[in-house]
Amino acid sequence: MNEYVIEIQALSRRFGKKYALQDIDVKVPRGIVLGLVGENGAGKTTLIKHLLGLLKAQTGTVRVFDKNPVEDPVGVLGRIGYLSENREMPQWMSINEYIRYTKAFYPGWDMEYEKELISNFELDRTQLIKHLSRGQKAKVGLLVALAYKPDLLLFDEPSSGLDPVVRRDMLTAIVRTITEEGRTIVLSSHLLDEVERVADQVVMIHEGQIVLSDTLEDIREAHHQLIVRFEQDQDQKPILPGMLSCEGGPMEWSCLCKEKIDILKTAVQNLKGNIVECTSPSLDEIFVARVKADTI
Ligand code: ATP
């Protein structure tokens, strides 16, 4: 059995002259949550459409469960749960009718889990879809994507535009799902704090290209946010190894660096400065620094 659920190699996609994705490599092992992050228009949805077989690779290869999703849609889609921001649901159905209609397609539907989600999400089965709020619709969409226990879940901005309470409920359900053995999740979002709470591995896309791809743990360990103080005013910002951003001055600077702390300490000493604070930057701070970096 292939250890990777998703294997994307050298994938590029153009719409007209513009690259939506350029030379993308992503490997997702079984049983993890992959956070796919990037600002609006970065290429996240385009990537997910390739996984669903809705777009054919122009260059490179896309394999899901070791199959080409364009050539074998049944073999791939039957094992994928998909939830997007713009999920279409039949407005005239009640929640219960919609669930009954959907589960007819999936023999592996988990009735107990369905009941648990209805209760956790505080949904009323008799309510018509057309009368639901945005958050309630998102919860119904999530319930349907989760309850048939797919091997791979693709969430494209699932909680975009929802209030923090609904977002938290949805994330809790996602986390509960990953504790189910062997399931894999791709969570695409521009809400980096959300991704940071659940992801094992992160792929950051900027203008169609991957700017960072690693486990969350390694990303956290590799980046340091330093406050560096000097005895005297500095005309220019200090240059430190792996520096992605540096602001402040003239005596105190706040610098975000991707480098080992020992190397940074030596570099600051050589500049006759002191590190007065060293913290772990958030994923959001790393992302902003990465995409604006003059030196990567
Ligand atoms: P968002 O967070 O806003 O959903 P995204 O990261 O999902 O953004 P994509 O929807 O993948 O971004 O779009 C990537 C780029 O490709 C954008 O510049 C977009 O305008 C372009 N694009 C996507 N689909 C098409 C299409 N069918 N025709 C032309 N251009 C497209």
Side-chain angles (χ1 to χ4, degrees):
M1 200 162 58
N2 190 332
E3 67 175 300
Y4 295 109
V5 173
I6 296 171
E7 270 188 288
I8 299 174
Q9 279 182 337
L11 174 67
S12 294
R13 171 82 206 187
R14 273 185 351 193
F15 292 108
K17 284 187 181 159
K18 192 171 180 280
Y19 275 99
L21 294 175
Q22 204 170 350
D23 208 15
I24 299 288
D25 290 304
V26 179
K27 281 185 178 180
V28 185
R30 203 172 301 275
I32 71 145
V33 179
L34 175 85
L36 188 58
V37 300
E39 67 261 272
N40 294 120
K44 305 181 295 295
T45 302
T46 306
L47 188 65
I48 287 177
K49 282 183 177 169
H50 281 87
L51 300 176
L52 291 166
L54 298 172
L55 287 174
K56 193 175 173 202
Q58 285 172 334
T59 318
T61 55
V62 175
R63 298 198 65 83
V64 182
F65 305 117
D66 215 8
K67 297 183 170 94
N68 180 336
V70 176
E71 286 168 8
D72 189 356
V74 178
V76 173
L77 292 182
R79 298 174 67 186
I80 292 182
Y82 170 60
L83 179 65
S84 80
E85 191 185 355
N86 311 310
R87 191 186 175 95
E88 289 296 324
M89 287 188 258
Q91 299 296 312
W92 51 271
M93 282 188 186
S94 67
I95 294 180
N96 209 33
E97 283 167 333
Y98 182 55
I99 290 175
R100 274 174 50 201
Y101 158 80
T102 313
K103 74 175 156 201
F105 294 97
Y106 301 106
W109 191 277
D110 184 334
M111 303 274 280
E112 283 308 308
Y113 194 23
E114 170 198 316
K115 280 187 205 154
E116 192 186 316
L117 288 171
I118 287 272
S119 153
N120 289 352
F121 288 166
E122 296 174 346
L123 293 170
D124 170 2
R125 287 178 184 271
T126 61
Q127 262 201 308
L128 293 179
I129 304 263
K130 67 178 169 202
H131 292 153
L132 300 181
S133 70
R134 213 177 133 87
Q136 286 168 325
K137 277 188 193 155
K139 285 176 171 179
V140 174
L142 182 62
L143 183 154
V144 163
L146 293 178
Y148 76 94
K149 302 276 171 124
D151 294 322
L152 172 63
L153 283 143
L154 301 178
F155 294 124
D156 193 359
E157 302 276 2
S159 50
S160 184
L162 303 178
D163 68 58
V165 177
V166 179
R167 273 173 32 202
R168 192 204 52 212
D169 288 353
M170 291 184 67
L171 277 191
T172 308
I174 291 172
V175 171
R176 151 84 163 76
T177 308
I178 47 174
T179 59
E180 305 279 328
E181 210 177 305
R183 277 168 229 293
T184 309
I185 295 181
V186 174
L187 171 64
S188 153
S189 180
H190 59 266
L191 302 169
L192 280 87
D193 58 327
E194 197 166 277
V195 171
E196 198 163 13
R197 283 168 55 196
V198 292
D200 301 298
Q201 204 173 308
V202 174
V203 170
M204 279 185 187
I205 306 190
H206 178 58
E207 294 179 352
Q209 288 180 299
I210 293 180
V211 290
L212 186 61
S213 173
D214 217 331
T215 63
L216 188 58
E217 207 181 327
D218 285 350
I219 291 174
R220 283 207 182 111
E221 274 179 18
H223 293 81
H224 301 281
Q225 179 79 54
L226 306 177
I227 308 272
V228 180
R229 197 173 289 153
F230 295 92
E231 297 288 319
Q232 283 160 4
D233 288 0
Q234 308 289 306
D235 306 339
Q236 289 179 332
K237 62 182 170 190
I239 303 294
L240 298 174
M243 193 162 82
L244 298 171
S245 70
C246 192
E247 287 163 3
M251 284 171 81
E252 196 169 285
W253 299 81
S254 173
C255 309
L256 199 157
C257 304
K258 182 177 185 277
E259 187 50 89
K260 290 196 177 72
I261 191 63
D262 292 349
I263 293 178
L264 289 169
K265 278 181 184 165
T266 310
V268 171
Q269 271 169 12
N270 290 343
L271 295 173
K272 311 226 176 324
N274 285 309
I275 296 175
V276 293
E277 199 181 299
C278 175
T279 51
S280 255
S282 68
L283 204 52
D284 203 24
E285 288 166 331
I286 294 170
F287 181 70
V288 171
R290 279 259 149 193
V291 299
K292 288 192 182 160
D294 1 298
T295 43
I296 294 185

